[in-house]
Amino acid sequence: MRLSTLEFMVSSESESALSLLEQLRALHGDALADSLRDFCDDAAAPSSSSSSENEGRFDFLDEDVPSQVGALEVLAPEAYWVRAERLLRGVRGELGTLYGPLTAILTLALVHEREGERVSRFVAPLWLVGALCGLSRDRVEEVLHEHASLLARFCYRRAWATNYAPVGKPDREVRSRWAGQLFAVPLPDRPYETSRLGEGPVLGWRALFRAERYRDLARDVHRRFTDAGWRKRFPRERARYGVSRDPGLPTGSRLVLLEWVVAERFGRAAVVAAREREEVRLSSTHEVLSALREGPGVGRDGVGVWARAVASGLARLLGDASRERVWLSVCWAAWRVSRAGLADGFALLHEAAFETLVRRADLVSRSSSGRGATFNWVLNSLGLRALDREARRLLSGVRSAA
């Protein structure tokens, strides 16, 4: 999908988001509305519950976690799953039954990504991977074993065992043979291609097993965050022992579990803030695309007001207010190209914004420089800057003749 997913909203906010989606469909066609449907269909449903029920979604968290982890932007929980799906889109047909579990593993890798590290390292129990993709723990273990050589092209995996002291009983040590699975997942800059399947396996290294910040097994057991505890909590949504080639976006207990994973990593406040940011992003995207579709008002003053509004919106959406003047010059370039009759500059600018803010939103870097670079690349690919140079030459010639 394209935008980093909609927010966590209460019922009244959900209705406004759904009405906004219908406005998007009317103004920009089915392509944009369908690309944003994931936000409303799967994020608005759980938000219809009361505030007390929403607080219960994080019952497994004993305390809040600091949200400042590196400099990475915290995304709404569904956005991590969407990013994983988009990264695997090019090799989905070759993955077969491995697609669901690998999507869950890549989602966890994105959640545990740290600033400056190209490989995401984490420990997760197999039941957690299974619950995220709608399979039982045993079925996930079978699938990972059957596709071990294919899985090795994407990540390194080994069983993780550790001894731990139960919470409140520091003098007692418990030996655990199957505490979880250790994963090391190289995070790609762009979607996987079929050539990836011919590469060698991802190799582990000794420091992996001495690293800190892995799961606190004693805390998991103390909070009953286990396979049995989760099945008891959601008895009607027990993972099915079967094949799930396309689990789809998390809903129900899967969404609750994904929210918990993100909240455990970044804190509950960060999850709520991420959903609020996405709602603002969706509204701002709607405003910018509408302005680009409608075009400027009459006269040069009308163009100036329109250009300043669009440039401000682009700077806000791309995350770099310092480059607002650059986007302002792009808006004037679109006007010059249209005035010179070389092309519909406003349509080209609309296409560039749509490509960056919608189609590629979950594939580009999460940094402001990455989004700005993508927007610049799309503008150059569409030829807007080259047309602007020609428009400047033609318009200056017209003024000279006059």
Side-chain angles (χ1 to χ4, degrees):
M1 182 170 148
R2 342 287 190 209
L3 287 173
S4 328
T5 346
L6 192 64
E7 330 317 325
F8 188 64
M9 301 172 292
V10 295
S11 56
S12 60
E13 292 172 330
S14 301
E15 294 174 1
S16 63
L18 290 171
S19 63
L20 180 58
L21 184 65
E22 291 307 313
Q23 296 177 33
L24 287 167
R25 186 186 298 278
L27 288 172
H28 306 292
D30 292 339
L32 174 59
D34 291 343
S35 71
L36 300 173
R37 188 184 320 188
D38 293 338
F39 304 155
C40 290
D41 289 351
D42 295 310
S47 58
S48 60
S49 57
S50 66
S51 60
S52 61
E53 290 174 335
N54 290 337
E55 292 174 359
R57 299 172 75 82
F58 301 100
D59 284 348
F60 284 103
L61 284 179
D62 295 333
E63 56 188 17
D64 202 2
V65 181
S67 59
Q68 297 297 328
V69 182
L72 292 177
E73 178 187 6
V74 182
L75 306 179
E78 306 94 300
Y80 292 99
W81 186 275
V82 170
R83 284 178 63 87
E85 284 187 327
R86 293 304 172 249
L87 289 173
L88 293 172
R89 178 171 51 188
V91 294
R92 178 174 173 176
E94 289 77 6
L95 294 177
T97 56
L98 182 61
Y99 175 73
L102 185 55
T103 304
I105 292 171
L106 191 53
T107 299
L108 293 173
L110 292 170
V111 171
H112 289 88
E113 179 184 3
R114 291 180 180 269
E115 181 72 14
E117 296 185 1
R118 302 301 304 162
V119 178
S120 177
R121 299 169 291 166
F122 63 95
V123 168
L126 280 182
W127 74 263
L128 174 60
V129 176
L132 284 175
C133 63
L135 297 176
S136 68
R137 181 207 176 282
D138 292 339
R139 179 55 184 162
V140 168
E141 189 172 20
E142 288 180 2
V143 171
L144 297 185
H145 178 72
E146 292 170 0
H147 300 277
S149 60
L150 181 57
L151 178 66
R153 302 292 190 273
F154 297 90
C155 68
Y156 173 83
R157 177 180 73 98
R158 283 294 181 272
W160 176 261
T162 183
N163 298 335
Y164 68 94
V167 175
K169 300 178 181 179
D171 56 333
R172 179 187 171 193
E173 185 178 74
V174 175
R175 296 185 178 277
S176 174
R177 186 178 180 185
W178 302 113
Q181 298 283 311
L182 170 64
F183 293 93
V185 185
L187 297 175
D189 294 327
R190 57 184 61 86
Y192 292 111
E193 299 177 352
T194 53
S195 59
R196 176 80 180 189
L197 306 181
E199 297 180 3
V202 177
L203 301 177
W205 58 97
R206 186 171 300 177
L208 271 178
F209 298 90
R210 297 196 302 268
E212 299 177 356
R213 67 176 188 256
Y214 288 148
R215 297 200 65 82
D216 185 346
L217 182 61
R219 191 164 176 253
D220 281 354
V221 174
H222 179 69
R223 294 176 296 175
R224 296 184 181 179
F225 186 64
T226 60
D227 192 7
W230 194 257
R231 283 188 280 110
K232 184 177 181 180
R233 183 177 172 84
F234 294 97
R236 296 183 180 180
E237 297 189 38
R238 295 184 62 177
R240 58 190 182 277
Y241 187 86
V243 176
S244 179
R245 290 182 180 272
D246 184 9
L249 274 174
T251 58
S253 63
R254 293 173 57 216
L255 179 57
V256 173
L257 182 58
L258 182 55
E259 287 179 346
W260 182 88
V261 170
V262 178
E264 183 190 43
R265 169 84 165 89
F266 299 103
R268 305 180 217 187
V271 175
V272 176
R275 291 191 183 281
E276 291 173 353
R277 283 197 306 272
E278 284 306 321
E279 186 176 6
V280 173
R281 190 194 303 271
L282 176 61
S283 177
S284 299
T285 300
H286 166 56
E287 293 173 0
V288 169
L289 292 178
S290 296
L292 290 173
R293 185 183 182 92
E294 294 170 4
V298 179
R300 191 175 181 87
D301 291 340
V303 177
V305 172
W306 170 86
R308 286 191 294 273
V310 171
S312 176
L314 287 173
R316 186 169 57 252
L317 289 169
L318 297 174
D320 190 354
S322 64
R323 304 197 68 189
E324 182 173 340
R325 292 177 62 88
V326 176
W327 311 135
L328 180 62
S329 68
V330 169
C331 294
W332 280 105
W335 174 77
R336 283 190 294 269
V337 169
S338 298
R339 187 182 180 192
L342 298 177
D344 188 343
F346 304 124
L348 291 176
L349 187 54
H350 179 279
E351 175 63 20
F354 188 89
E355 180 73 19
T356 305
L357 301 175
V358 180
R359 295 193 187 104
R360 295 176 177 266
D362 284 315
L363 300 179
V364 301
S365 170
R366 287 154 60 185
S367 66
S368 58
S369 59
R371 290 192 289 265
T374 299
F375 187 53
N376 263 326
W377 178 84
V378 175
L379 287 172
N380 293 331
S381 299
L382 293 174
L384 181 62
R385 297 188 188 281
L387 289 172
D388 180 41
R389 289 192 292 270
E390 180 65 17
R392 285 173 181 269
R393 187 184 64 81
L394 292 175
L395 294 176
S396 63
V398 170
R399 286 194 294 269
S400 299

